[in-house]
Amino acid sequence: MTWGTELWDQFENLDKHTQWGIDFLERYAKFVKERVEIEQTYAKQLRNLVKKYCPKRSKDDEPRFTSCLSFYSILNELNDYAGQREVVAEEMGHKVYGELMRYSQDLKSERKHHLQEGRKAQQYLDQCWKQMDNSKKKFERECKEAEKSQISYDRLDNDINATKSEVEKAKSQLYLRTHSADESKNEYAAQLQNFNGEQWKHFNVAIPQIFKNLQDMDERRTVKLGETYRSFAEVERRVLPIISKCLEGMVTAAKAVDERKDSAIVVESFKSGFEPPGDFPFEDYSQNLSRTGSDNTISTPKNEGVVKQDPKHSISKAAKNKLWLFGKKPKGSLAPSLEDFSHLPPEQRRKRLQARIDELSKELQKEVDQRDALNKMKDVYEKNPQMGDPQSLQPKISETMCNMEKLRSEIHKNESWLSEVEGKVSSRGDRRPSADVNHHAPHGRESPEGSYTDAPSQEHRSPPHQPDPRQVHQPDEFDDEFDDDDPLPVIGHCKALYSFDGQNEGTLLMKEDEVLYVIEEDKGDGWTRARKQGGEEGYVPTSYLDITMEKNSKGAVTYI
């Protein structure tokens, strides 16, 4: 069924229908455009949401809890999901909306061409009809004039009073009119035949062909709409596998949440390494009070559950120091340096120092690799002078060696701090009831973790007898001296010959070969007051030290 044969007389309706088809196509294109804008806005809002809840973080702020890691994994998956929405918008904009707009322009041009041809054919047929109609009207006029001439001639011919000239004139007029009527008849017949021929061509050839072209155009428009409908869905279908992977990633992240692991991380993050404070002793201030025999109050038996202490020593100061988990609170400018993390609890300090040692070790390895590479290049230059001057590499090698020495020094310093921290932790965990300070095992040496390792290459040295701190300094005096606002100046430095656990209050823990600052000389009681690099102060046995005083520049003064 074709439009050319069935709708031969519906040119105006076909004009309206084809225009409606193009309008509908453009309406669908507008729908796709708005869908693209929705997808773009949705993707942008998703990316902004991810950016809002996943800000830039420093290395120290990286989350470790499984719940946080899973949440950031979900944010990453959501960011990928937003990327797929952008892909949908891009594909729809290019393959659907853009294609529809280009096709709409082509349809408009084609429709305009076909309608112009139809109008030209109709105009030509109308022109033929006008020519035929004019010849018909002329033939009709000529016939009427000829009839009038015939009537006039017959009237004069039958009139006996008419002259011969009048009759001849009427006869001549009749002849002219009759001849004109015959010519008009012949012209009308020719125009009629021509019009009938053109009309047949118009309705059987020209118009069917034009309408067929319009029909093909409209059918192609319909097919194009169907293709774009399918493309509209295919664009979404192509990203479904990736979107499914994003959703699976979110589910996997949700399954990765481990409450026990998070609890363990909390312990690891905030564990101080301190032991809970012990019981405070009872301080009896009524020892010096005289009681009468008639006193009915129950007196406290002597030496039963009562610890006799110096009345001058207030428990408030000791309690204050014990309740503050990190030791004494720093006083203004006397706060210890943060370089050794001494402001942190032992466990946290140990982790930070270990992390710094690992980082410095990596930097040292890089410098070692660079030094080896420079030495290899130098050897190549020495063997092949034409490739370069070996001396030109010497400054860089020297600089690398200097960097290596600096890094080794930093590593050694941090390892000393780490050994100090681990020694404290070990002494708290494996504290012995004996007050003996000799922690050296036979033919061995105590490691930072508190274990014993063999050291056959080193000569075993037993520390000399240490003085009793109670004979010279009382713990009360130590605390009072450490509460001074102004720190004592450094008058020298010393090196520990042996390890000292510093369990007594007011003494200072030190490791073998550890370097300390001397802030007060031995006053004859066998104790020297020293300060660590972290700012911690206390008394250590003088016989355990190799002391070098600042005022003696000729050499070290060793107290043995």
Side-chain angles (χ1 to χ4, degrees):
M1 185 176 292
T2 62
W3 291 3
T5 56
E6 302 295 334
L7 304 175
W8 60 271
D9 59 344
Q10 300 296 321
F11 182 85
E12 296 297 330
N13 288 329
L14 291 180
D15 183 3
K16 295 178 181 178
H17 173 74
T18 52
Q19 181 61 45
W20 170 87
I22 294 176
D23 292 341
F24 181 80
L25 184 141
E26 291 182 343
R27 179 178 175 82
Y28 174 65
K30 185 179 180 181
F31 160 78
V32 175
K33 180 182 179 182
E34 292 183 2
R35 169 68 189 277
V36 169
E37 292 174 351
I38 291 174
E39 291 289 349
Q40 291 174 342
T41 303
Y42 181 46
K44 183 178 179 181
Q45 291 178 347
L46 285 179
R47 289 196 182 276
N48 290 337
L49 181 66
V50 171
K51 185 177 180 181
K52 176 181 178 181
Y53 286 92
C54 189
K56 295 182 179 179
R57 302 178 300 273
S58 62
K59 185 177 180 181
D60 294 337
D61 295 335
E62 287 294 330
R64 294 187 298 160
F65 296 104
T66 58
S67 56
C68 294
L69 294 175
S70 296
F71 176 64
Y72 290 126
S73 298
I74 290 175
L75 289 179
N76 291 332
E77 296 294 346
L78 187 61
N79 192 56
D80 295 339
Y81 176 82
Q84 294 307 307
R85 303 321 307 178
E86 291 175 346
V87 171
V88 170
E90 183 179 357
E91 292 291 326
M92 283 187 178
H94 176 69
K95 294 186 176 181
V96 182
Y97 175 73
E99 185 67 22
L100 285 173
M101 295 308 297
R102 288 190 295 271
Y103 193 72
S104 174
Q105 296 299 323
D106 295 340
L107 284 181
K108 289 180 179 179
S109 300
E110 184 178 357
R111 174 179 174 275
K112 182 179 179 181
H113 174 70
H114 294 325
L115 293 179
Q116 285 179 348
E117 288 185 346
R119 291 189 177 93
K120 287 180 180 179
Q122 187 64 41
Q123 289 174 359
Y124 179 71
L125 183 63
D126 292 342
Q127 183 179 0
C128 292
W129 181 85
K130 287 181 180 180
Q131 290 178 355
M132 184 271 299
D133 187 60
N134 290 334
S135 62
K136 176 182 177 182
K137 291 179 179 180
K138 181 180 179 181
F139 173 59
E140 182 181 6
R141 288 195 305 271
E142 293 296 334
C143 288
K144 289 181 179 180
E145 292 293 332
E147 288 177 358
K148 291 180 180 179
S149 297
Q150 181 68 39
I151 294 172
S152 177
Y153 172 73
D154 290 341
R155 182 177 57 80
L156 290 175
D157 187 43
N158 294 326
D159 187 3
I160 58 175
N161 296 323
T163 62
K164 186 177 180 180
S165 61
E166 289 178 348
V167 173
E168 289 295 332
K169 183 178 180 181
K171 184 178 179 180
S172 176
Q173 187 69 26
L174 175 62
Y175 175 77
L176 291 175
R177 293 295 181 186
T178 303
H179 182 69
S180 296
D182 292 339
E183 289 180 352
S184 298
K185 180 181 179 180
N186 293 333
E187 182 181 359
Y188 167 63
Q191 291 293 336
L192 179 61
Q193 184 179 3
N194 180 64
F195 172 76
N196 289 333
E198 294 298 333
Q199 181 176 253
W200 186 90
K201 289 180 182 180
H202 178 80
F203 289 109
N204 291 277
V205 179
I207 289 299
Q209 184 62 40
I210 294 172
F211 284 8
K212 184 178 183 301
N213 293 336
L214 289 173
Q215 182 180 0
D216 293 341
M217 180 195 73
D218 192 70
E219 289 177 354
R220 281 187 279 109
R221 176 193 62 82
T222 305
V223 171
K224 192 66 175 180
L225 280 173
E227 292 176 353
T228 53
Y229 293 162
R230 186 163 50 252
S231 298
F232 184 83
E234 288 294 333
V235 167
E236 188 82 23
R237 179 182 293 178
R238 279 194 292 270
V239 300
L240 284 180
I242 302 178
I243 291 178
S244 298
K245 289 183 179 180
C246 294
L247 298 177
E248 290 175 2
M250 295 181 184
V251 174
T252 303
K255 293 179 179 178
V257 176
D258 189 344
E259 68 280 3
R260 296 187 178 274
K261 187 175 181 180
D262 284 0
S263 297
I265 292 175
V266 173
V267 173
E268 180 183 355
S269 300
F270 302 112
K271 182 179 179 182
S272 66
F274 290 114
E275 292 181 356
D279 295 337
F280 285 101
F282 178 79
E283 300 183 35
D284 191 359
Y285 296 99
S286 63
Q287 295 294 327
N288 297 329
L289 298 178
S290 61
R291 300 182 181 273
T292 61
S294 61
D295 192 355
N296 293 329
T297 59
I298 301 176
S299 61
T300 304
K302 294 183 179 180
N303 301 328
E304 291 184 11
V306 178
V307 179
K308 183 181 293 186
Q309 295 192 3
D310 188 354
K312 297 180 180 180
H313 180 242
S314 174
I315 195 173
S316 60
K317 184 181 297 184
K320 177 180 66 175
N321 295 337
K322 290 181 179 179
L323 290 177
W324 177 247
L325 293 180
F326 300 156
K328 292 189 176 182
K329 296 182 181 180
K331 300 179 180 179
S333 61
L334 299 180
S337 173
L338 300 180
E339 182 183 3
D340 60 349
F341 303 113
S342 59
H343 61 291
L344 297 175
E347 187 68 20
Q348 302 302 319
R349 183 185 180 193
R350 182 185 65 78
K351 292 178 182 178
R352 296 291 292 273
L353 288 172
Q354 186 62 54
R356 179 188 286 175
I357 291 173
D358 295 341
E359 184 178 353
L360 292 173
S361 299
K362 291 180 181 179
E363 295 180 5
L364 178 60
Q365 186 60 42
K366 291 180 181 179
E367 295 293 334
V368 171
D369 295 341
Q370 184 176 1
R371 180 203 61 185
D372 295 342
L374 290 172
N375 287 331
K376 289 181 180 180
M377 188 179 297
K378 183 178 179 181
D379 293 341
V380 172
Y381 286 176
E382 289 176 349
K383 295 178 181 179
N384 302 285
Q386 67 275 9
M387 297 184 64
D389 183 11
Q391 298 301 323
S392 63
L393 299 176
Q394 192 58 41
K396 187 64 176 176
I397 294 176
S398 300
E399 180 183 355
T400 304
M401 296 294 293
C402 182
N403 293 338
M404 290 171 56
E405 290 301 323
K406 291 180 180 178
L407 289 172
R408 286 194 180 101
S409 176
E410 288 292 325
I411 292 174
H412 178 71
K413 181 171 63 175
N414 283 272
E415 286 178 344
S416 300
W417 292 333
L418 182 62
S419 299
E420 175 187 343
V421 176
E422 291 179 339
K424 287 183 179 180
V425 174
S426 176
S427 66
R428 288 190 177 93
D430 301 329
R431 184 171 293 173
R432 302 177 184 178
S434 175
D436 186 11
V437 298
N438 183 10
H439 290 279
H440 292 273
H443 306 289
R445 178 175 182 174
E446 187 179 3
S447 66
E449 290 78 14
S451 61
Y452 292 91
T453 57
D454 294 336
S457 60
Q458 296 183 358
E459 181 181 358
H460 173 67
R461 298 180 296 177
S462 298
H465 176 72
Q466 70 176 57
D468 187 357
R470 294 174 297 178
Q471 297 177 359
V472 179
H473 293 285
Q474 296 297 331
D476 305 339
E477 297 173 358
F478 290 159
D479 284 347
D480 292 338
E481 290 174 355
F482 291 163
D483 286 340
D484 293 339
D485 292 335
D486 297 328
L488 294 175
V490 176
I491 60 176
H493 63 276
C494 59
K495 180 179 180 182
L497 301 175
Y498 312 98
S499 297
F500 179 65
D501 59 0
Q503 291 184 357
N504 294 316
E505 192 169 359
T507 58
L508 182 65
L509 172 69
M510 67 179 182
K511 293 292 183 179
E512 184 179 354
D513 296 329
E514 185 177 3
V515 177
L516 307 173
Y517 297 116
V518 178
I519 59 176
E520 184 178 327
E521 294 184 65
D522 187 353
K523 298 180 180 180
D525 52 7
W527 294 91
T528 297
R529 189 171 179 180
R531 179 189 298 151
K532 289 190 174 184
Q533 295 179 1
E536 190 177 359
E537 298 180 3
Y539 285 89
V540 292
T542 305
S543 58
Y544 281 47
L545 303 175
D546 179 7
I547 303 176
T548 302
M549 307 301 293
E550 295 292 337
K551 60 183 179 180
N552 187 1
S553 60
K554 294 181 180 180
V557 177
T558 304
Y559 296 87
I560 300 177

